[in-house]
Amino acid sequence: MCEAKVKLKNFIYHVVENDLASGKYTLVHTRFPPEPNGYLHIGHAKSICLNFGIAKDYQGQCNLRFDDTNPLKENIEYVNAIKHDVQWLGFQWSGDVQYTSSYFDKLYEYALELIDKGLAYVDQLSTKQIRDYRGTLTCPGTNSPYRDQSPKENQVLFSRMRQNEFEEGSACLRAKIDMASPFIVMRDPVLYRIKSALHHQTGKKWCIYPTYDFSHCICDAMEGITHSLCTLEFQDNRRLYDWILKNITIEAHPRQYEFSRLNLEYVILSKRKLNVLVKEKIVESWDDPRMPTISGLRRRGYTAESIREFCSRIGVTKQDNQIQISALEACIRKDLNDRVPRVMAVIDPILVIIESLPIGYEKEIVMQNHPKRPDMGKRLVLLTREIYIDQADFREEARCQYKRLVLGKEVRLRNAFIIKANRIEKDSLGKITKIFCSHDESTFFKYFLDKKKGIGVIHWVSATCSLAAEFRLYDQLFKVKNPEGVTDFLSMLNPNSLIIRRGFVESEVLGCTIGQSFQFEREGYFCVNNCYASSPHLIFNRIVRLRDNWETKSNI
Ligand code: ATP
Ligand code: MG
């Protein structure tokens, strides 16, 4: 038991605390049971933080157990990705990785025990008939004609199922409970079904596979799990969980507790649907930076700390709700704000020529890498006669609320002097190609003047000493708040979920490594994309904008 007082973070902590205090358990043992049929997503992170977190807080144990009972949808790529993501999030499972498949022999014996006791039977109704016989919430089900076969007959049939003598879908093992139960899950649930597929762990050994409901409670009991935490949609299944453990010869009887799953605005968290996005090539891969997967968030530039912080802020309750995406963004913004260096980058460049400076002019300007952290040092930035500013920072005409560069008016260049736009040059389509300015040397670093003159500050990079870069500006994949609620979710895709821009960044970033993050001043937090090694120029992912209200700001 834990010596120090643990902060009771949610209702599950209260349950655990009581169980330890009453002496029911001396050690907390939880598990995280992913099905390796896709990559982990931010919803799984909530479950991981809860299961591993509670074990850590009480110095207990948490298993990683692959719920690998459907070989048709699973593969080893997913197994490996899941292990990596759990560790990257900062958690380590107790002992070896567990697999439901390593208990297949044991589970088979327990199925035989239920058959022996007259509590399970081999049904040969078709899948559709089983569904029709099940009844509805208002109408009780109907017994299958196979329900009263003797244990002997069921033993033979079950053994024949195992010997691959039945077609897939033509026979299954069902628990004999109550076809009139108000809980549909108790109307003779399926315990074993036939699946002719190669299994990533057991190969060709089996052609019958236990269902989640049958295997989960037994694996929990065999592993000595004390608290089996799952999401609310399994609430009714708790009856079945308890029924199975009560009716087989097994000592332990863990308890299942349910909490609400994470739903995020604008985001899909169903693995089946995420799989469609990958298969249909709507996204690049499972780790596309727009995906809500752990690997996608990592590639986007999210840190493990920020994801853990998010999970801690949203908490664990029994209330179903939808979390705003800004809650997740706030966590990464806070994390990066405290520790990444500031750099200037121009994403949508337009050339500015400061005619009042001599040709070949170069001035080294000392800039702080972080406004609040002198320990992060300083750097030298070269100011030259030709620079780039962002197209959004210039207008030919504007109202006085617009505090950037306007033709005939002044603006301060960040960490330098004030310039004034005197004339512009346009191409044949009327697009501005150059802005000709003059500068006022006496204003260098004299910020007090800005307030007096009522002018703003814009960022810039040297046109001659900067690095070309590609900027990938990501937005939500879906344009509706609840894409999970739309039948044809693919019709709700946001056409602007990725916008690519070519611009320039301070040469300071030269030598940066994949995944390294920066704050591009006034633009947002960006990180080096992992495909940049094979690209002739730098590629940055926008992790998150600087503020939530960016839209209002840029529309001034
Ligand atoms: P999906 O519907 O996306 O396939 P799943 O629940 O079938 O999800 P599993 O791999 O079985 O996926 O999930 C492993 C664990 O993660 C389960 O205990 C499940 O309850 C939990 N989990 C899955 N999605 C969420 C979510 N959105 N919020 C919280 N926990 C989740
Ligand atoms: Mg599942």
Side-chain angles (χ1 to χ4, degrees):
M1 217 204 291
C2 182
E3 307 285 311
K5 197 120 183 73
V6 173
K7 182 170 171 251
L8 304 183
K9 297 174 186 162
N10 54 56
F11 73 96
I12 293 172
Y13 276 74
H14 285 272
V15 171
V16 167
E17 190 79 10
N18 285 338
D19 286 349
L20 293 173
S22 72
K24 180 174 179 189
Y25 296 118
T26 50
L27 192 82
V28 183
H29 200 157
T30 54
R31 86 288 168 265
F32 172 64
E35 186 180 347
N37 61 352
Y39 280 57
L40 295 182
H41 53 59
I42 182 84
H44 293 115
K46 173 174 177 176
S47 177
I48 292 172
C49 289
L50 174 64
N51 279 294
F52 284 91
I54 209 160
K56 198 169 177 180
D57 284 345
Y58 285 98
Q59 292 154 32
Q61 294 182 6
C62 181
N63 291 3
L64 172 62
R65 183 198 317 136
F66 286 100
D67 167 31
D68 54 348
T69 52
N70 185 358
L72 292 170
K73 293 193 174 157
E74 299 160 6
N75 69 48
I76 198 75
E77 174 198 342
Y78 298 142
V79 169
N80 292 332
I82 290 171
K83 287 197 274 189
H84 179 238
D85 286 348
V86 169
Q87 286 177 320
W88 178 80
L89 275 174
F91 299 105
Q92 184 57 48
W93 47 88
S94 310
D96 293 336
V97 170
Q98 309 291 326
Y99 296 87
T100 298
S101 57
S102 44
Y103 303 104
F104 280 172
D105 284 314
K106 243 8 237 169
L107 290 162
Y108 185 77
E109 280 171 32
Y110 282 123
L112 290 178
E113 183 182 346
L114 287 180
I115 293 175
D116 260 354
K117 290 177 170 169
L119 293 174
Y121 62 98
V122 172
D123 198 357
Q124 291 183 64
L125 289 180
S126 69
T127 317
K128 180 176 179 315
Q129 284 171 318
I130 291 184
R131 208 169 29 238
D132 294 344
Y133 276 54
R134 191 167 283 138
T136 62
L137 281 175
T138 50
C139 178
T142 314
N143 286 353
S144 160
Y146 300 92
R147 198 172 195 261
D148 293 322
Q149 282 159 179
S150 68
K152 192 106 214 106
E153 284 172 288
N154 285 318
Q155 296 277 10
V156 173
L157 288 166
F158 191 44
S159 152
R160 285 181 53 206
M161 268 174 70
R162 188 187 178 167
Q163 302 311 320
N164 212 356
E165 288 182 27
F166 288 100
E167 292 284 308
E168 218 171 296
S170 67
C172 64
L173 184 74
R174 297 177 71 177
K176 194 168 167 179
I177 309 180
D178 178 7
M179 287 305 288
S181 169
F183 300 95
I184 297 207
V185 57
M186 298 301 272
R187 295 184 188 171
D188 292 9
V190 174
L191 306 180
Y192 263 90
R193 62 264 199 262
I194 299 167
K195 288 191 187 285
S196 320
L198 207 61
H199 189 284
H200 51 99
Q201 302 297 320
T202 55
K204 284 196 281 198
K205 180 169 174 193
W206 297 89
C207 64
I208 54 169
Y209 291 92
T211 53
Y212 168 87
D213 281 324
F214 183 59
S215 55
H216 201 77
C217 51
I218 301 179
C219 292
D220 278 352
M222 287 194 293
E223 287 176 9
I225 301 304
T226 55
H227 301 82
S228 182
L229 315 177
C230 66
T231 41
L232 275 177
E233 66 273 22
F234 290 98
Q235 199 154 6
D236 286 353
N237 301 53
R238 183 174 1 113
R239 289 164 198 276
L240 181 53
Y241 187 104
D242 291 337
W243 184 91
I244 293 169
L245 291 182
K246 199 179 85 204
N247 286 297
I248 60 170
T249 314
I250 200 159
E251 215 171 293
H253 192 139
R255 289 283 156 201
Q256 176 185 301
Y257 297 92
E258 306 88 20
F259 61 95
S260 61
R261 61 192 293 125
L262 168 68
N263 301 306
L264 257 186
E265 281 183 355
Y266 299 101
V267 172
I268 268 185
L269 290 179
S270 143
K271 272 188 282 181
R272 187 181 61 76
K273 291 179 182 168
L274 293 176
N275 207 345
V276 171
L277 297 178
V278 177
K279 290 261 152 64
E280 301 283 323
K281 300 209 181 318
I282 290 159
V283 294
E284 223 176 273
S285 51
W286 282 95
D287 71 349
D288 186 294
R290 290 166 294 179
M291 288 283 268
T293 50
I294 306 295
S295 50
L297 289 165
R298 176 167 61 234
R299 190 164 156 215
R300 173 84 167 254
Y302 274 75
T303 58
E305 290 83 344
S306 67
I307 296 175
R308 290 200 304 264
E309 171 66 17
F310 170 70
C311 292
S312 143
R313 285 191 195 181
I314 57 172
V316 174
T317 67
K318 276 184 170 288
Q319 249 74 57
D320 251 331
N321 59 3
Q322 210 181 23
I323 306 287
Q324 291 185 347
I325 196 76
S326 56
L328 177 62
E329 292 183 346
C331 294
I332 185 64
R333 210 178 271 127
K334 169 162 190 330
D335 187 18
L336 298 175
N337 181 39
D338 293 346
R339 49 176 198 82
V340 303
R342 274 53 173 167
V343 167
M344 291 195 289
V346 174
I347 290 175
D348 233 342
I350 183 166
L351 188 63
V352 169
I353 300 166
I354 309 170
E355 290 179 295
S356 51
L357 291 173
I359 291 185
Y361 172 90
E362 279 187 355
K363 186 180 180 83
E364 279 185 335
I365 303 179
V366 180
M367 295 194 193
Q368 296 247 356
N369 287 333
H370 193 291
K372 293 196 179 127
R373 289 196 40 193
D375 60 301
M376 286 179 66
K378 295 175 178 170
R379 66 188 190 282
L380 291 175
V381 180
L382 219 49
L383 177 62
T384 51
R385 186 172 184 267
E386 297 191 355
I387 59 170
Y388 290 116
I389 65 166
D390 202 278
Q391 297 202 20
D393 284 339
F394 177 77
R395 288 194 190 166
E396 283 183 75
E397 281 172 66
R399 284 179 295 168
C400 59
Q401 291 99 313
Y402 183 80
K403 296 278 183 229
R404 309 184 212 175
L405 188 59
V406 179
L407 194 57
K409 304 223 167 100
E410 293 183 316
V411 80
R412 175 175 295 277
L413 293 180
R414 188 150 182 79
N415 289 314
F417 39 59
I418 292 173
I419 58 169
K420 181 176 174 190
N422 300 317
R423 64 194 169 89
I424 53 176
E425 210 173 272
K426 293 184 179 175
D427 64 15
S428 56
L429 298 170
K431 186 171 180 275
I432 303 169
T433 52
K434 285 176 193 157
I435 307 167
F436 294 91
C437 295
S438 52
H439 83 291
D440 181 351
E441 189 72 38
S442 72
T443 60
F444 197 84
F445 264 91
K446 300 224 169 66
Y447 293 114
F448 64 90
L449 291 172
D450 301 1
K451 200 156 187 195
K452 215 158 80 188
K453 288 172 174 261
I455 62 169
V457 181
I458 60 172
H459 65 283
W460 52 275
V461 295
S462 160
T464 38
C465 298
S466 56
L467 303 170
E470 180 178 313
F471 301 96
R472 299 193 175 173
L473 310 179
Y474 297 108
D475 203 346
Q476 302 308 334
L477 263 175
F478 295 95
K479 53 188 180 191
V480 288
K481 271 195 181 157
N482 184 15
E484 299 264 25
V486 183
T487 329
D488 181 12
F489 72 102
L490 291 181
S491 66
M492 293 298 152
L493 285 164
N494 172 9
N496 298 320
S497 63
L498 169 59
I499 292 175
I500 297 184
R501 294 264 184 261
R502 287 292 187 82
F504 299 90
V505 56
E506 271 180 40
S507 55
E508 176 69 16
V509 302
L510 196 67
C512 57
T513 51
I514 290 169
Q516 194 176 342
S517 303
F518 300 92
Q519 185 198 96
F520 291 159
E521 297 201 40
R522 297 180 65 236
E523 293 291 357
Y525 294 97
F526 286 73
C527 91
V528 182
N529 188 300
N530 64 355
C531 61
Y532 119 77
S534 56
S535 146
H537 53 257
L538 289 159
I539 302 178
F540 291 97
N541 294 333
R542 183 172 67 198
I543 309 167
V544 66
R545 294 178 167 111
L546 284 185
R547 274 175 289 271
D548 262 347
N549 61 353
W550 175 259
E551 287 81 5
T552 41
K553 179 178 168 251
S554 61
N555 283 339
I556 290 172

